[in-house]
Amino acid sequence: MLKDNINKVLFLVVAVAMFNCGGSDSGGDNGGGDKILPPEAASLVSPVNNEECNQGNSVSDTESNVRFEWNRAANATSYTVILKNLDTDGTEEFTSSANITTIKLLKGVPYSWQVVSKSNKTTTTASSETWRFYNAGEGVSNYAPFPADLVSPAMGSTTSATVSLEWTGSDIDNDIEDYKVYLSTSTPPTDLQATTTDTSLSNITLAADTVHYWRVVTTDTEGNNSQSPIFEFRTE
């Protein structure tokens, strides 16, 4: 009898201890730790969007050091600058723990850039807007337009056999003359669909169940031009 009573007491002690240890969880996501907040997107400062960057320090006839700056993002511990040469489509990445970094660029070349906010506490990231600029070139009085951004149909999309093409264009000199739209079933597309001052073409009838490729060539009043990337899409 005494042994049974001792076993009952021990059972009650263990039960109470387990209840107390596994009670309320008021400490958040980490069993009592602070909740991990993902980084927010940074806001870009300079080089300024759709303008000539003439603040770089020349290091040679062909290159200059350009300072990139953005506002600090909440919960971010580091940043990655993604820089794209719009002439070659080549992309480079630069990591910084501060909200500023200096990068050596080619003169007279268009670039785009964005900043990815990162945290050492989570794999979640946040991306800023993408800005474009021309790095100032010596003796350049008029720059080629920025390559057009193709909007629709999106890359790799599927559409009906009657499609509308849409894009956006910009030029720091504000002297775009026209857009030449090329559309073919082979790449690079060589069939000129239209020359227009608009940024869209509507109701184009194409062969069904076929892959099509398109690009836009932007020309300014000085005869400078730029080519967009090539997008492909399939008709139903």
Side-chain angles (χ1 to χ4, degrees), residues 132-151:
R132 303 189 297 182
F133 68 95
Y134 257 99
N135 190 31
E138 295 179 2
V140 178
S141 59
N142 185 277
Y143 289 93
F146 288 110
D149 286 325
L150 306 187
V151 177

Side-chain angles (χ1 to χ4, degrees), residues 6-19:
I6 292 174
N7 287 338
K8 290 180 181 179
V9 171
L10 289 175
F11 175 80
L12 290 174
V13 170
V14 172
V16 170
M18 292 179 64
F19 176 81

Side-chain angles (χ1 to χ4, degrees), residues 41-60:
S43 56
L44 307 184
V45 176
S46 67
V48 178
N49 192 31
N50 288 330
E51 292 189 11
E52 177 189 36
C53 175
N54 53 18
Q55 305 302 314
N57 295 320
S58 180
V59 296
S60 71

